[in-house]
Each structure stands twice: as C-alpha cells, then as structure tokens.
C-alpha cells in the first residue's frame, strides 16, 4: 500500500495525536476520516485482488499441464503475496517438477507447508504437564456393590501375630504366581514310542 505526500502528512498528524491527545480542528478531523476511508477502500480492493488471483490460480491449475507456464508464474505471484500452498498445489507441482521452475517452486512450497503445519500443531497441542498428577484410589459408583457393604474397620497399626486368622493373605510374588516352567529334556534323552 502506497500513500501520497498529503496522506502521509495526515497519517503523521494522526499518529502524533494518538501519542499526545489534543483537540483537533474540524478540517483535520475531515482529513483523518478521508484517510481512514482511503485505507478501508485499499484493504477492500486488496481482498478483491487476492480473491481474483486465487480464482485465476485455480483455473490455471485445473488446465494443467497445458497451462504450466502461466500456472507457475501465477503461483509465484501468489506466494509473494503471502499465499499458503494447498495440497492441490503440491500435487500439481509434483507433476511439473521436470521443469526447473516447477522443481524450485515445489521445494519452496513444501517448506512453507511444513512450517504451516508445525505452527498449527504448536498452537493446538496442549502444554506438557509440569509434574504427573497424583493417582487417586478408584471408588465404586454410587449404588454399586460397595455401597451395600458396611465399611470395614481400619486395620490395627501394629503387625498382627503370625497365628491370627483374621490377617489378610499377603500378595503373592511373581515367582509364586507364575512358577518357572520345566525345561524340556535334551534330544538324546527323549524316548521314542515304538
């Protein structure tokens, strides 16, 4: 976007007023409003130009391979204007990579697409937790079997005597739960059935 000398003067005055507010004469207010209208019109026109460029790019892409030269030039212009290549563009460039400009644009567009995906993932991925949350004990749902049972009294703090039948059975060790398997006999000691 380019400003004329008069528009730059008005813009400079508006920025100075933003930093140091002061009452404005009516003619300066009108100039600021005219400048705002001009900027709005330029933004609207830039949006229309971008839409036209993208539609033209889609038409050239649909007419490939006959329109390879025009498509590559339009894609260069679109990339210079901030266009992010779409999967269709990458597929089209892969088919045109035999051309030097097509290969160069394919490398450039793949780099842009990778950076765009990484940035999107960085924005959407949740932050890593600082420390693992403490685990809580699972409890039965209300109305389940646990609700029907009365609560058990707390176990005594000291160790129970060895002969006490109320003592709970200790948790078995892995060796007790899964005893080792017997190894097969070596081949020489096997007996064959006759």
């Amino acid at each position: 976007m380019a400003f004329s000398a008069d528009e730059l003067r008005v813009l400079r005055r508006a920025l100075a007023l933003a930093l140091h507010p002061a009452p404005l004469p009516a003619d300066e207010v009108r100039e600021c409003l005219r400048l705002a209208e001009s900027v709005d019109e330029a933004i609207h026109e830039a949006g229309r130009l971008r839409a036209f460029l993208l539609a033209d790019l889609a038409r050239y892409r649909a007419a490939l391979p006959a329109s390879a030269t025009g498509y590559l030039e339009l894609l260069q212009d679109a990339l210079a204007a901030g266009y992010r290549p779409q999967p269709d563009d990458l597929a089209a460039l892969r088919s045109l990579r035999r051309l030097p400009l097509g290969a160069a644009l394919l490398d450039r567009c793949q780099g842009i697409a990778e950076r765009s995906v990484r940035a999107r993932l960085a924005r959407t991925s949740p932050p890593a937790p600082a420390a693992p949350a403490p685990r809580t004990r699972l409890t039965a749902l209300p109305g389940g079997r646990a609700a029907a049972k009365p609560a058990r009294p707390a176990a005594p703090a000291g160790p129970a005597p060895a002969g006490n039948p109320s003592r709970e059975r200790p948790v078995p060790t892995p060796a007790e739960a899964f005893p080792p398997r017997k190894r097969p006999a070596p081949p020489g000691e096997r007996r064959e059935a006759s």
Side-chain angles (χ1 to χ4, degrees):
M1 182 182 300
F3 292 105
S4 69
D6 287 335
E7 289 173 335
L8 283 176
R9 181 184 55 77
V10 172
L11 184 60
R12 186 178 304 127
R13 178 73 177 136
L15 290 174
L17 283 171
L19 293 174
H20 305 289
L24 279 176
D27 58 335
E28 287 187 20
V29 170
R30 280 192 299 275
E31 287 177 350
C32 286
L33 290 175
R34 252 186 271 130
L35 178 62
E37 288 173 3
S38 297
V39 169
D40 289 342
E41 183 180 330
I43 290 171
H44 179 69
E45 192 62 33
R48 288 181 55 213
L49 181 62
R50 180 179 170 82
F52 175 77
L53 177 65
L54 295 180
D56 214 18
L57 185 66
R59 279 193 296 277
Y60 273 79
R61 186 176 51 235
L64 284 173
S67 62
T69 307
Y71 172 72
L72 294 175
E73 290 174 4
L74 279 174
L75 184 59
Q76 272 185 315
D77 293 343
L79 291 173
Y83 173 69
R84 298 210 184 277
Q86 304 299 312
D88 292 341
D89 295 312
L90 294 173
L93 286 172
R94 284 187 194 100
S95 70
L96 298 173
R97 68 178 142 212
R98 60 179 163 55
L99 301 172
L101 182 57
L105 280 175
L106 177 61
D107 291 341
R108 181 177 173 192
C109 288
Q110 283 177 334
I112 292 171
E114 286 176 13
R115 285 190 298 274
S116 176
V117 167
R118 286 186 182 143
R120 196 174 334 127
L121 288 175
R123 284 191 306 265
T124 59
S125 65
R135 295 189 67 172
T136 58
R137 293 184 54 85
L138 297 176
T139 57
L141 295 174
R145 290 191 335 185
K149 291 182 182 180
R152 241 204 264 179
N164 189 350
S166 66
R167 182 175 171 200
E168 289 189 32
R169 183 169 179 259
V171 177
T173 63
E176 292 172 340
F178 305 103
R181 293 185 187 172
K182 294 181 181 177
R183 293 190 180 157
E189 294 181 17
R190 288 187 185 164
R191 294 184 187 172
E192 293 186 22
S194 43

